[in-house]
Amino acid sequence: MTDAVENAGGVPAATGAARGVTSVSDEVVEKIAGAAARSVPGVADLGGDVARFFNTILDKVGLDEVGDARRGVSADVKGSSAVVNVVLVIDSGHVVTDVTEAVRAAVIEAVEKYGLTVIEVNVTVDDIELDKPGAAAGA
């Protein structure tokens, strides 16, 4: 009898696809990928020379977190698939291939936790950081 009462309305249960579409913006994937890349040992910074230059200026005028989340990362999301490009600066003393493979793995893992499929992660090493700011010379 309960089945008859529950089905009396005649409205079938709708699936997620029947009620709309979910999309994830490029910006969201860029933020996720940027955070993942920054967490990798050997990554000194993200972004090319121009992006880092403008970030330094923003820092000096008190806008130190403007654009930091996505700087150095671009993504192209189509449906549930993503291609991610990362531009980074490595710390001196780290092997480039070790750092780039670790960045690739971290980005894939982080983005795929959100239900997307990462098709590829392209990593460009733009610079190397020889000296940490504030480090004592010869120490």
Side-chain angles (χ1 to χ4, degrees):
M1 175 107 180
T2 57
D3 286 339
V5 172
E6 289 175 6
N7 294 325
V11 179
T15 63
R19 293 189 181 203
V21 177
T22 300
S23 61
V24 178
S25 74
D26 295 350
E27 181 179 355
V28 170
V29 173
E30 291 164 0
K31 287 180 179 181
I32 294 166
R38 281 183 183 84
S39 73
V40 173
V43 174
D45 202 355
L46 294 182
D49 293 334
V50 174
R52 292 191 323 272
F53 171 76
F54 282 114
N55 192 65
T56 302
I57 292 171
L58 291 171
D59 288 350
K60 288 181 181 181
V61 296
L63 300 173
D64 36 344
E65 296 200 15
V66 173
D68 282 352
R70 295 178 22 208
R71 181 173 32 101
V73 182
S74 64
D76 184 23
V77 180
K78 299 231 185 313
S80 64
S81 299
V83 173
V84 181
N85 299 298
V86 180
V87 178
L88 57 85
V89 178
I90 64 168
D91 286 321
S92 65
H94 289 269
V95 179
V96 172
T97 54
D98 293 347
V99 174
T100 58
E101 286 304 314
V103 166
R104 192 170 283 110
V107 167
I108 290 168
E109 180 181 353
V111 172
E112 289 189 346
K113 281 183 181 177
Y114 286 85
L116 297 171
T117 300
V118 177
I119 303 300
E120 63 186 41
V121 176
N122 303 304
V123 181
T124 301
V125 178
D126 184 69
D127 203 353
I128 185 169
E129 185 169 293
L130 297 174
D131 296 316
K132 294 273 187 193

